Amino acid sequence: MVGRRTVVIGAGVVGAALADELSALGWTDIVVLDQGDLPATGGSTSHAPGLVFQASGSKVLTDLARYTVEKFVGLEHEGQSCFLQVGGLEVATTPERLAEIHRRHGWLTSWGVEAEVVDAERCVELHPLVDRERVLGGLHCPTDGLAKALWAVEAQIDRAKSRGVKFLPRHEVTGISVEDGKVVGVVIDHGEIPADVVVCCAGIWGPKVAALVGMNLPLTPLAHQLAWTGPIPALAGQTEEAVRPILRHQDADLYYRDRFDQLGIGFYGHRPMPIDANDLVSVEDADVMPSVLEFTPDDFAPAWDETQSLLPPTADAKIEEGINGVFSFTPDGMPLLGESPEVSGFWVAEAVWVTHSAGVGRAVAEWLANGHSESFDLHECDVNRFEDYQLVPEYILERDCQNFVEVYDILHPLQPMDSPREVRTSPYYARQQELGAFFLPANGWERPQWYEANKGLLDRYQVPQPNDWAARYWSPIVGAEAQATREGVAMYDMTALKRLTVTGPGATAFLQRLTTGNVDRTVGSVIYTLLLDVDGGIRSDVTIARLGPNHYQAGVNGALDTDWFNRFLPADGSVVVTDITPGTCCIGLWGPKAREVLSGLTDADLTNDGLKYFRAARFSIGNVPVTAMRLSYVGELGWEIYTTADLGLRLWDTIWDAGQDHGLIAAGRGAFNSLRLEKGYRSFGADMTFEHDPYEAGVGFAVKLDKGDFIGRDALLRRKENRTRTLACLTVDEPADVVVGKEPVFADGRPAGYVTSAAFGYTIGKGIAYAWLPADVATPGTPVEIGYFGRRVQAVVAAEPLFDPTMTRLRG
């Protein structure tokens, strides 16, 4: 036997894929358990309609789906393919949906999947049941199709068995044995199986299984309607199971698939029907199977009416059978993958639909075997991405139900959920409301996007109007705030930035190992540095200030960074990592007049000699003790100013009152984003992620190879010599052509890359878009095009930074 002793809980399409992929990597000491029979275990896989659409605004979801398609096409069950590659067709019945289809086509082009937008006539050619008068066009992806889920399960089980993997049906998990924080075994109704690794692939039972190790899994099982027509006369004589593309009518929350002369109809337009995982019946007690609930015809009535309108030949048929099938939803619509932060060796691969199943199997197998996934960027899927407030049961239920409602909706990238809101508010919230702030949530915090109080600035500044899509969740005040920051001074609420302290006698050595920078500098130093994975990919970018010999403050990007820090803590207790975000707050005070505002409020020396760029100091502003760091992500003179939450309102009022004689304004995130792009500052999660290394992302300056060893160093040295792509700056001359992100970029008429983040640069008077491009394309002056809602926007590669390349304003 090779590999650690591994038990996989759940033999559905995810568990079977993981067993196949992990055994293919050489691990054979694997046992797969399921409470049901094989291959139809009674979970969501057993009733899944099998539609695989690859289009997604998430690159990793498309990548996972593409791998699933490629694998299933090559899998056979009794000589037949496990994938019917009939293609996929999404139809538009409204102008808004047609525009969305063009956007979705852009995503597929960005992620490298062949597709085309087709007219109404072609829609009818592809799917003759469609009423030509109802549709305006469609998105056709020829590699989409139908996964034969149970066949795929059986085929992957057979492959895994041939490598020595054991499958045990009718074995119910009743407990998981843990010693000293590590998994040691799985308790079943037949005894106990020793294990070093346990992977929960239990699907809708996931929360119940995870709870056995005290893990709160943010997953809600919800029922979803699937009905089948009787024979449709227009399809009489169809001898193949599927000949037409799988079809989505997202304007009405509907999808369709062939079954010989019948149609399967899936419907998301009904009320959410959540189920507690603990209330799911057993395999023995289920009328059909545990994941199948009784069909509710009244909920389905609107779906049938709309179906007969869109597909007129169905009027000659009837609904003959239906189910309310249960499957998984999460607060952000993404899978839950990774290891428990509390119990070493307990992993989850949950909230995974058939569409992404084989890809997830490969990703988790690579992660287990190699310490990271070589094939997929999983930062959006890591189960440890959630903040504590997001793990409260009421929050999980409300978000998951809302995601069900919105599953086919046209959603803007900035569009927030309606509820819950005001989950987290900074001490400045009341003052921001008085200034007419328009809030958008960030890590649960209500963060101003702009302030209506600044409307009068529009008399001073000219602000061009973007296109309709880019103008959503936008105001011309954004542009005025950006220009006012450049000319005067503005205060920004930076409280949503997560803050950790790293303390103890081992703190310096710990951070030296964890980051690419040299933290062993004098007290008061601040550095911009990176966290790398073992493969040299960027896990995060952080700022670290040394506030004492054994005391550091780190500005990080989120809960994944906290988890990463905690995983490498020395066992001797010499390092303590504390999340101080809830008890602290931060104001960014930036602009050429920032020093004038603070000079009368403190005895501290704020001159260039007194507090240099990228230095930190503790002093008082008025009667508020603060920690101030001289750095700026808007590219202007100023400080990030921190204090405790109880003094936050006093800090705001003190700075605000002193700043009125200097023209101080409060400014929002919209202005911040424009200013940081003008300066060329990267945003982790958008501009760079796990799949990118520092040199191609343009942050190689944060890597100090001469400081000694650090995580990812050896892999990074290998990657450094093989750079084929780069993050490039593009500019767009026409203000109305500003894009928003994830659009495809074309060079010489061919797809070459994709946009990461974008905004209008109000100082330089041009649109800005950062994009991943081949290195040989990313030469300043090279013309490119950006695909935007079906048209091509002219852009050019530009040298960066676009603003203040000599850094004189920051250092002034």
Side-chain angles (χ1 to χ4, degrees), residues 54 56-66 107 110-113 334 356 375-377 379-380 689 691-692 725 742 754 772:
Q54 297 168 85
S56 173
S58 166
K59 182 176 183 292
V60 69
L61 287 186
T62 293
D63 288 343
L64 293 168
R66 176 168 45 201
W107 293 340
S110 290
W111 317 144
V113 178
M334 298 297 291
H356 311 109
S375 304
F376 305 98
D377 171 10
H379 80 276
E380 292 180 287
T689 65
E691 66 177 299
H692 306 117
R725 60 184 176 180
K742 301 187 177 180
Y754 59 91
W772 282 101

Side-chain angles (χ1 to χ4, degrees), residues 506 510 566 568-575:
F510 171 75
N566 286 333
F568 290 93
L569 286 173
D572 62 6
S574 62
V575 180

Side-chain angles (χ1 to χ4, degrees), residues 178-212:
V178 178
E179 295 179 4
D180 298 324
K182 297 180 180 180
V183 163
V184 296
V186 176
V187 181
I188 54 176
D189 49 2
H190 295 64
E192 183 170 353
I193 301 174
D196 305 305
V197 174
V198 175
V199 187
C200 177
C201 302
I204 55 178
W205 288 276
K208 184 177 180 179
V209 174
L212 296 175

Side-chain angles (χ1 to χ4, degrees), residues 407-742:
V407 68
Y408 278 175
D409 285 3
I410 299 170
L411 300 175
H412 190 275
L414 294 178
Q415 183 172 334
M417 284 195 172
D418 294 334
S419 179
R421 291 291 299 271
E422 298 183 321
V423 178
R424 307 169 91 180
T425 57
S426 80
Y428 325 131
Y429 187 57
R431 296 292 185 263
Q432 293 164 344
Q433 288 178 306
E434 292 168 5
L435 293 172
F438 179 85
F439 294 98
L440 290 176
N443 297 328
W445 297 91
E446 294 294 332
R447 183 171 64 189
Q449 194 75 359
W450 69 83
Y451 293 86
E452 287 296 326
N454 293 325
K455 191 172 184 178
L457 293 174
L458 296 174
D459 295 334
R460 188 193 315 172
Y461 300 110
Q462 294 295 314
V463 178
Q465 179 75 19
N467 58 78
D468 289 347
W469 185 250
R472 296 191 186 187
Y473 304 98
W474 175 89
S475 164
I477 297 171
V478 166
E481 290 177 355
Q483 294 176 76
T485 303
R486 290 275 188 243
E487 291 187 4
V489 59
M491 53 197 296
Y492 291 79
D493 183 356
M494 302 298 291
T495 301
L497 175 70
K498 181 176 277 292
R499 296 169 290 284
L500 308 177
T501 56
V502 182
T503 57
T508 300
F510 171 75
L511 289 172
Q512 289 289 75
R513 172 67 176 152
L514 212 62
T515 71
T516 63
N518 181 16
V519 304
D520 195 6
R521 300 184 178 189
T522 59
V523 172
S525 65
V526 183
I527 67 167
Y528 172 84
T529 186
L530 307 170
L531 308 179
L532 301 185
D533 212 328
V534 294
D535 67 339
I538 301 170
R539 284 197 63 94
S540 189
D541 63 337
V542 301
T543 56
I544 296 181
R546 191 171 197 176
L547 303 181
N550 299 313
H551 182 184
Y552 295 85
Q553 180 173 314
V556 302
N557 282 298
L560 281 184
D561 294 346
T562 309
D563 178 66
W564 189 252
F565 274 56
N566 286 333
R567 288 186 184 279
F568 290 93
L569 286 173
D572 62 6
S574 62
V575 180
V576 177
V577 173
T578 306
D579 184 353
I580 62 170
T581 313
T584 56
C585 54
C586 179
I587 290 174
L589 182 69
W590 294 310
K593 297 182 180 180
R595 189 176 281 124
E596 297 174 25
V597 172
L598 283 194
S599 61
L601 296 175
T602 181
D603 294 331
D605 185 353
L606 300 180
T607 65
N608 278 328
D609 292 332
L611 186 55
K612 296 179 180 179
Y613 183 55
F614 263 78
R615 297 288 297 180
R618 288 169 161 167
F619 51 84
S620 295
I621 294 177
N623 56 9
V624 179
V626 302
T627 299
M629 301 180 194
R630 190 174 163 192
L631 49 92
S632 165
Y633 278 83
V634 302
E636 295 291 342
L637 168 69
W639 303 267
E640 289 181 358
I641 305 170
Y642 299 88
T643 192
T644 52
D646 59 321
L647 295 171
L649 188 58
R650 173 59 65 93
L651 177 65
W652 177 283
D653 288 344
T654 300
I655 296 175
W656 180 261
D657 291 344
Q660 293 314 294
D661 291 340
H662 304 280
L664 174 69
I665 65 164
R669 190 67 178 185
F672 179 96
N673 195 49
S674 170
L675 296 169
R676 70 102 179 163
L677 286 173
E678 288 184 329
K679 193 60 183 162
Y681 292 141
R682 278 60 169 148
S683 174
F684 180 82
D687 301 316
M688 55 190 186
T689 65
F690 289 7
E691 66 177 299
H692 306 117
D693 70 54
Y695 300 108
E696 61 190 9
V699 290
F701 63 86
V703 178
K704 308 304 179 187
L705 293 172
D706 59 353
K707 75 156 188 174
D709 195 24
F710 54 84
I711 295 170
R713 184 180 188 275
D714 292 342
L716 185 59
L717 289 173
R718 293 190 294 270
R719 292 176 68 150
K720 184 180 180 181
E721 304 304 320
N722 189 33
R723 187 160 64 94
T724 59
R725 60 184 176 180
T726 191
L727 184 64
C729 177
L730 312 181
T731 58
V732 178
D733 287 337
E734 175 55 53
D737 283 341
V738 64
V739 299
V740 298
K742 301 187 177 180

